[in-house]
Amino acid sequence: MPSIAGNGSPPFAAAADEVKRAKAVKVEKSGGVRTSGDSTPGKRRLRSNSAAEEDGGPIGTTPSPTKWKSPRRCVNDVEQLSAVKDKLHISTAPCTLVCREDEQKRVLQFCKQCIEQEKAGSLYVCGCPGTGKSLSMERVKESLIQWAKEAGFQQPDVLTVNCTSLTNTSEIFSKIIGKNQPRKKTTSPLQNLQNLYSQKQQSAGMKMMLIIADELDYLITKDRAVLHDLFMLTTLPSSRCILIGIANAIDLADRFLPRLQSLNCKPMVVTFRAYSKDQIMLILQQRLKDLPYSVFQPQALELCARKVAAACGDMRKALCVCRSAIEKLEAELRESVCNLDLSSVDIGFLDQRSSACDLIKQNSSIVRVDHMAIALSKTYRSPVVDTIQSLPQHQQIILCSAVKLFRGGKKDATIGELSKSYLDICKLILIPPVGIMELSSMCRVLGDQGVLKLGQAREDKLRRVTLNVDEADIAFALQGIRVFRNCLNAGNKNMDL
């Protein structure tokens, strides 16, 4: 049977020479003597040497390819990023709560006065979502118990209730009476509490009770009775309740508790304002300061803080955006390592692979501004942007034409005028245009989707067209398509094609 290729053929000869040289290096390093460089036992010994090097045995100057294929440093980077995500999770309470010291001080002082005077009272904590209300009240609770212990006062009973977890609104009275004494079956929990706090003899010797009712607006019923009765408990002559209600609505007490105001029993109000850019930056840095490595570029953190502060000041949003940016970086790292593994199989230059992996470690394992921008775009994405990006190409060209047409200060234009701008862009990007009738039909479709606003006229080409969405949304939606980006960013000279 004829041989397919002899050992002396050029490709095999070059490969054989490379193997021989590698074996000679191995033998020289280990101090051994080789008698036959081409024998099979020699090949086996070479493999065993590689295995020994992987297991921590004597290694040569050339690193093992198998060892490089799963670079420990790159894997550690991903594990570190996972630890950072845990640090930035909204369920992870920070060691130190910053930027809310004044609000906590006011609430704590109020509670201290109630305990010192053995007097009931009510307080309403309000503010936008994600401004630290619930977390601050947890810290106030801990500080109050510690203060009572150190000052020699009887420590208050504490009841923390998230009103969303109640099966019905009146269940909150069952939870309160359960902290005081067994409920009498003949009367309702509310009546038991009213009787208990109305008679001095029955309430004598009872501890003060701190009630923290989170998501208080869930107690608002049609007749507002539950919310009103809850706050009225603090006005009874022998009441021992310190009630702190937490909700988002700033005017909840004015709208739903007008009777308390008429009785001069309106609760004290503490407002948590939305976080500013500097406060968001400080909180993020506070969470990350214990880490022994840098995770974010300072510019990336600042971009996140600016955007979230301008949008809502919600710290939970900022944390979610940062976690999303880390996930983007994780995906990028996995793809980079995978690509290097594939290239190592094809090329086989170990020094180049090692330097490439080092480059990934140094330059890629940090959240950059572009990662943060993608995460912000994902979080604050407008439904209008999704609609525009899902449109057929010619309808997108129509919107691009409208943006360019209205940049000169025009508020509206006819379909005929829009058609001229549309034809110019089609000519520029080398796409065959549609006729005026089909263009008019597409404008009607865009009008039905709420993107354009069409007026009435006898002829379609005379109908007035107005943009019904922000130009910035159109520019943002089409910026990923190069031809549209070039058209929208073109100067005035190119706009008048």
Side-chain angles (χ1 to χ4, degrees):
M1 182 176 178
S3 61
I4 297 175
N7 290 337
S9 59
F12 284 91
D17 290 339
E18 286 291 325
V19 171
K20 287 178 181 178
R21 280 195 293 270
K23 292 174 182 176
V25 170
K26 294 286 183 182
V27 172
E28 187 177 355
K29 291 288 181 181
S30 59
V33 179
R34 293 295 305 272
T35 56
S36 176
D38 298 329
S39 64
T40 303
K43 293 181 181 178
R44 290 198 188 99
R45 186 162 59 187
L46 185 63
R47 289 172 187 161
S48 64
N49 289 343
S50 299
E53 289 173 11
E54 266 191 327
D55 294 334
I59 58 174
T61 56
T62 307
S64 166
T66 308
K67 186 175 182 179
W68 182 88
K69 281 185 181 180
S70 57
R72 182 175 294 277
R73 181 68 182 275
C74 291
V75 172
N76 283 344
D77 287 340
V78 174
E79 291 174 355
Q80 289 169 356
L81 291 175
S82 179
V84 176
K85 285 200 297 181
D86 291 340
K87 277 262 186 188
L88 296 174
H89 200 280
I90 58 176
S91 64
T92 303
C95 299
T96 305
L97 186 60
V98 295
C99 303
R100 290 302 180 212
E101 293 84 357
D102 292 342
E103 291 85 350
Q104 290 182 55
K105 187 176 179 180
R106 289 181 62 193
V107 177
L108 182 59
Q109 191 61 35
F110 170 81
C111 295
K112 286 180 179 179
Q113 288 179 358
C114 291
I115 290 179
E116 288 172 342
Q117 300 171 11
E118 294 189 355
K119 180 181 176 182
S122 60
L123 183 143
Y124 177 57
V125 175
C126 59
C128 298
T131 50
K133 301 184 296 295
S134 301
L135 189 56
S136 294
M137 293 308 103
E138 282 295 313
R139 298 299 165 88
V140 167
K141 177 185 73 175
E142 296 168 3
S143 300
L144 183 65
I145 293 174
Q146 184 66 25
W147 168 82
K149 184 177 180 181
E150 293 175 355
F153 289 97
Q154 191 177 29
Q155 294 183 29
D157 288 328
V158 178
L159 174 65
T160 302
V161 181
N162 189 311
C163 297
T164 60
S165 65
L166 301 175
T167 53
N168 59 74
T169 54
S170 58
E171 187 184 352
I172 191 169
F173 300 117
S174 301
K175 292 184 176 294
I176 297 172
I177 195 67
K179 280 280 184 179
N180 285 284
Q181 60 181 23
R183 181 191 130 187
K184 296 179 182 178
K185 295 183 180 180
T186 55
T187 57
S188 68
L190 175 60
Q191 289 174 328
N192 276 348
L193 286 170
Q194 290 171 340
N195 294 336
L196 181 66
Y197 292 145
S198 296
Q199 300 176 15
K200 191 172 183 178
Q201 293 179 348
Q202 291 192 23
S203 61
M206 287 177 53
K207 287 184 178 182
M208 296 293 292
M209 174 182 281
L210 175 64
I211 303 170
I212 301 175
D214 203 354
E215 306 292 352
L216 190 70
D217 45 355
Y218 275 80
L219 298 183
I220 299 174
T221 54
K222 193 172 182 180
D223 57 1
R224 307 169 188 174
V226 173
L227 191 64
H228 181 268
D229 291 335
L230 178 63
F231 277 89
M232 284 298 293
L233 288 177
T234 63
T235 66
L236 297 175
S238 301
S239 177
R240 314 286 287 176
C241 292
I242 307 169
L243 175 63
I244 299 177
I246 308 172
N248 297 332
I250 295 175
D251 58 347
L252 181 142
D254 295 327
R255 282 191 298 154
F256 300 105
L257 301 170
R259 198 170 149 200
L260 289 180
Q261 191 169 2
S262 64
L263 295 172
N264 200 24
C265 300
K266 183 180 176 181
M268 174 182 170
V269 178
V270 177
T271 303
F272 281 59
R273 299 190 180 279
Y275 286 114
S276 66
K277 185 264 293 185
D278 292 335
Q279 288 176 325
I280 293 174
M281 278 284 289
L282 182 60
I283 293 170
L284 291 174
Q285 290 167 353
Q286 185 74 18
R287 285 193 175 232
L288 298 171
K289 74 172 186 177
D290 295 333
L291 298 174
Y293 41 82
S294 297
V295 185
F296 294 88
Q297 282 184 346
Q299 299 90 336
L301 276 184
E302 184 176 353
L303 176 64
C304 173
R306 284 186 183 278
K307 178 63 178 178
V308 174
C312 57
D314 187 339
M315 194 61 218
R316 291 178 297 190
K317 283 279 187 188
L319 294 173
C320 290
V321 168
C322 289
R323 284 169 53 84
S324 180
I326 291 174
E327 289 168 1
K328 179 66 180 172
L329 174 60
E330 283 180 322
E332 188 178 279
L333 282 174
R334 284 193 295 267
E335 184 179 356
S336 300
V337 173
C338 181
N339 290 340
L340 284 172
D341 284 343
L342 292 175
S343 67
S344 70
V345 174
D346 296 336
I347 300 173
F349 292 103
L350 300 181
D351 293 338
Q352 293 181 6
R353 288 178 294 173
S354 299
S355 61
C357 190
D358 290 339
L359 189 64
I360 289 176
K361 297 175 196 174
Q362 295 170 6
N363 298 332
S364 298
S365 301
I366 191 167
V367 176
R368 304 185 303 271
V369 172
D370 57 319
H371 298 136
M372 192 64 73
I374 292 171
L376 286 166
S377 173
K378 181 180 175 183
T379 302
Y380 291 101
R381 195 182 187 93
S382 167
V384 174
V385 172
D386 292 332
T387 301
I388 294 171
Q389 289 181 338
S390 64
L391 292 174
Q393 186 182 48
H394 279 280
Q395 293 182 23
Q396 290 177 340
I397 296 174
I398 290 173
L399 292 179
C400 186
S401 306
V403 170
K404 293 187 67 174
L405 190 61
F406 297 148
R407 275 183 177 168
K410 297 181 69 172
K411 297 287 185 182
D412 59 7
T414 64
I415 290 181
E417 293 170 332
L418 180 63
S419 176
K420 292 179 182 178
S421 179
Y422 163 80
L423 290 171
D424 289 338
I425 291 182
C426 287
K427 189 185 297 183
L428 182 68
I429 62 179
L430 304 177
I431 290 180
V434 299
I436 186 69
M437 295 300 294
E438 192 171 351
L439 178 71
S440 178
S441 176
M442 286 191 288
C443 287
R444 284 196 296 272
V445 172
L446 292 171
D448 292 339
Q449 292 185 337
V451 181
L452 292 181
K453 189 175 181 181
L454 296 178
Q456 296 295 327
R458 288 187 229 175
E459 296 182 38
D460 279 345
K461 66 179 182 180
L462 297 178
R463 297 179 71 178
R464 310 294 299 181
V465 180
T466 308
L467 279 177
N468 208 26
V469 296
D470 194 343
E471 288 184 16
D473 285 336
I474 298 175
F476 182 80
L478 301 180
Q479 69 177 352
I481 305 172
R482 183 172 55 84
V483 291
F484 290 138
R485 183 171 65 248
N486 292 342
C487 287
L488 292 171
N489 293 338
N492 294 329
K493 183 177 178 181
N494 294 329
M495 284 169 59
D496 298 327
L497 293 171

